[in-house]
Amino acid sequence: MDTQPRRTFLKATSVALTASALRAAGSNDRIAVGFIGLGAMGSGNLGFAMKQPGLQVAALCDVKQDALERATALAASQGHKPKTVKDFREIIADKSIDAICVAAPDHWHAYMMVEGCKAGKDVWVEKPACTVIDEGLKMVAAARKYDRVVQVGTMQRSGVHFQQAVEFVRSGRLGKITTTRTFNYLRLKPEGNGTPPNSAPPPGIDWEMWLGPAPKRPYNPVPAGHEFRRYWDFAGGMLTDWGAHWLDIVQMAMDEAMPVKISALGGNFWVKDGRETPDTLEANYTYANGMLATYETRASSTHSFSGNSQGIIFYGSEGTMVLDRSGYRVIPENGSKLEAIQVKSSNNSNIAHWANFLDCMRTRRRPQSDIEKCFRSTATCLLGNVSYRSGLRLTWDDKNSTVLEPEARKYLTREYRSPWKLTV
C-alpha cells in the first residue's frame, strides 16, 4: 500500500487544523505568549506585544530576579497576570502557551527557538538569529520540519518607509547600484565599561543558567549585563548587533542574495576595557550581481559626511539614497532625471512587526522576517566576523552553506557545554 499520499494528506490536514485553531483563538480567545529574557530587548518586546489585540501574556521568564520583577509589574499595569519562572523549559513544556518570545542573550537564541518549535510553538526570536552558521541552518530546518511560524526581531522589515525604500531600489530608479555602505559611528569613553574583577554571582541571578551552553567562566558584571555582545562566547559585537539590521535591509533590497567574497579588518583601537569583539571594524562583501557592500563601525567619532551616524547608503548611477530609522532621502546625480525625494518614517515598526507575527500565526503564512531570510542576513554578519578572526579573505559556497577556506571552518560551529545539545 502506498502510504505517501496519506502522510502528505495528514500533514496538510494537521497544518490546516492548526491554522483554523489559531484563527479561532484570535477571534474568540487570546493567543498565549511566553516571554523568555526580559532585559532591554525582552521588556521592549513585552511592551510592543501588549499593544496587540488578542494577545495574552501567559508567562515571563528570566534568570535575573530584578528583570523578572520589572516585567511582572509592566505586564500587571496592562491587566496581565502571567506566571513567572526562572527556567525557560517550564514555558516550553506548557501546552497552554501558543508562542514564545526569545530575547535571552544571543548564545541562547538557537537552542530556545529549536526547542520551542519541537514543542509545537511558534517563535519570535531576537536578532541576530544565531552566533554561528551551523546554528542557523538547524534553526531553519526546525522551523520547516515542525511547520512553525518563526519571526526574527529585525523589525525594520515591517517599517513602511523601509519597505518603500526597498521598492525604490528594486525599481531601478537609482540606476545601477555598485556600492552600499552600512554603518554605526559611536563616541564611547576610552575606558568603556571598565575592568571590574570576577566575583561570586550576586543574589538574584542564576549564573549557571545564564551561561547555559556557553563555556564555563567566572561571573563578571560586564558580560553579565548588556555588554555580553562584546564577547565571542555570547555574541558577535557591533557587526551582529547592528549589522544584522542594516545588512538585512540591503539583502532584502537585493532579493535575499548572500555575498560570494568576504573580508574584514579592524581591532580594539579606542576602548580599553577587555572587550573581545572589535570597537573598529570594516567588513566588505562582494555580491554576484556586481555590488560591494560594506559595514563599518568605530567607537571614537560620530562624524559622517552623510550627516547620519548610522544607517544605509545605496550608491546608484542615477542617484544616492540615505536610509535610516527616521526616513530616507534621495540625492540625484548631476545630469540625472531623478528628482530629489525626502520621506519620513510613518509607523512604529516594532508594533507592526508584532502585528505581522500574530497575523501569520493565524494564517500560517511566513512572516516578514522569516527565519530563512534572516538566517541569511545574520550569516552575512557572521562571515564578516569569521574573516576578521581568521585573518582570511573568504569565499562563500552557498550551495553547501560553508566557506571554501578550510582553516576558517572552525568558526562556523561551536561546541555546546553539557548538558545542552542542539538537535532538530
Side-chain angles (χ1 to χ4, degrees):
M1 177 180 176
D2 184 4
T3 60
Q4 184 61 38
R6 176 175 169 80
R7 285 196 298 268
T8 303
F9 170 79
L10 289 174
K11 181 178 179 181
T13 302
S14 175
V15 173
L17 288 173
T18 301
S20 298
L22 283 169
R23 280 193 291 271
S27 58
N28 302 316
D29 302 305
R30 293 191 167 192
I31 294 177
V33 182
F35 292 79
I36 304 170
L38 297 164
M41 291 303 305
S43 295
N45 277 316
L46 177 61
F48 295 126
M50 288 191 296
K51 296 182 183 297
Q52 305 300 323
L55 183 141
Q56 175 195 358
V57 180
L60 301 173
C61 175
D62 202 289
V63 298
K64 297 179 180 180
Q65 183 62 31
D66 58 348
L68 195 56
E69 290 174 357
R70 285 194 299 270
T72 301
L74 177 61
S77 72
Q78 301 298 313
H80 295 270
K81 298 179 180 179
K83 70 175 183 180
T84 59
V85 301
K86 291 187 176 180
D87 189 330
F88 70 92
R89 290 171 292 190
E90 293 183 43
I91 291 180
I92 288 177
D94 189 336
K95 296 186 184 301
S96 70
I97 293 176
D98 303 305
I100 58 173
C101 171
V102 176
D106 299 1
H107 67 287
W108 269 116
H109 289 182
Y111 184 88
M112 291 179 178
M113 190 227 95
V114 169
E115 291 300 304
C117 289
K118 288 160 70 173
K121 302 186 188 319
D122 294 326
V123 182
W124 171 297
V125 59
E126 265 308 320
K127 60 83 213 164
C130 49
T131 60
V132 291
I133 299 291
D134 179 66
E135 286 181 328
L137 294 171
K138 290 176 179 175
M139 294 168 85
V140 174
R144 300 297 177 253
K145 178 178 179 179
Y146 300 104
D147 293 311
R148 296 294 90 200
V149 172
V150 179
Q151 175 93 297
V152 180
T154 47
M155 73 291 182
Q156 291 177 166
R157 285 184 179 242
S158 290
V160 171
H161 79 276
F162 277 105
Q163 294 170 354
Q164 292 172 342
V166 164
E167 287 307 310
F168 196 101
V169 170
R170 288 176 174 173
S171 75
R173 294 171 67 188
L174 289 177
K176 168 64 176 174
I177 296 173
T178 59
T179 311
T180 66
R181 177 166 291 273
T182 63
F183 53 97
N184 292 96
Y185 301 145
L186 311 172
R187 181 67 165 85
L188 302 181
K189 297 181 295 183
E191 66 273 20
N193 295 289
T195 55
N198 297 331
S199 65
I205 177 173
D206 185 338
W207 179 240
E208 180 66 22
M209 182 61 88
W210 191 98
L211 287 172
K216 181 75 171 178
R217 67 161 66 193
Y219 173 84
N220 189 282
V222 176
H226 183 69
E227 293 304 311
F228 70 84
R229 292 183 175 86
R230 308 295 174 248
Y231 298 85
W232 295 121
D233 284 346
F234 311 128
M238 286 294 289
L239 183 51
T240 58
D241 186 17
W242 274 96
H245 281 304
W246 304 130
L247 288 168
D248 182 60
I249 295 297
V250 170
Q251 294 191 177
M252 181 182 177
M254 298 299 163
D255 297 321
E256 314 299 347
M258 279 187 65
V260 292
K261 297 286 186 181
I262 305 100
S263 62
L265 293 171
N268 280 303
F269 302 148
W270 176 250
V271 180
K272 306 301 179 185
D273 63 358
R275 66 184 59 200
E276 297 168 357
T277 63
D279 65 23
T280 306
L281 180 75
E282 183 167 290
N284 293 297
Y285 304 94
T286 303
Y287 288 77
N289 68 347
M291 184 188 76
L292 172 68
T294 297
Y295 175 78
E296 180 187 5
T297 186
R298 60 174 181 258
S300 60
S301 169
T302 60
H303 180 73
S304 167
F305 288 106
S306 71
N308 298 52
S309 61
Q310 61 180 12
I312 308 168
I313 305 177
F314 292 92
Y315 293 98
S317 58
E318 296 298 314
T320 295
M321 176 186 286
V322 181
L323 170 64
D324 66 11
R325 291 183 176 177
S326 66
Y328 67 91
R329 64 185 188 274
V330 174
I331 306 128
E333 278 288 306
N334 289 335
S336 170
K337 295 181 180 179
L338 192 64
E339 295 182 357
I341 297 173
Q342 184 152 357
V343 175
K344 292 185 178 180
S345 173
S346 61
N347 75 319
N348 185 312
S349 56
N350 291 284
I351 294 174
H353 212 47
W354 268 95
N356 173 252
F357 177 49
L358 295 185
D359 178 65
C360 290
M361 284 184 67
R362 296 183 177 105
T363 63
R364 310 317 292 169
R365 293 195 301 264
R366 291 186 185 176
Q368 287 279 12
S369 290
D370 176 64
I371 182 61
E372 188 168 353
K373 294 177 181 177
C374 292
F375 158 63
R376 295 176 70 80
S377 51
T378 293
T380 297
C381 300
L382 294 174
L383 289 169
N385 279 336
V386 172
S387 175
Y388 168 76
R389 298 178 74 183
S390 68
L392 298 171
R393 184 171 185 256
L394 305 176
T395 303
W396 176 246
D397 177 358
D398 200 47
K399 181 179 180 181
N400 296 300
S401 300
T402 190
V403 293
L404 297 186
E405 296 71 23
E407 311 96 302
R409 289 176 186 161
K410 65 181 180 180
Y411 296 107
L412 306 186
T413 63
R414 71 184 181 108
E415 185 177 349
Y416 274 42
R417 187 167 64 102
S418 180
W420 309 101
K421 189 175 181 181
L422 185 63
T423 58
V424 177

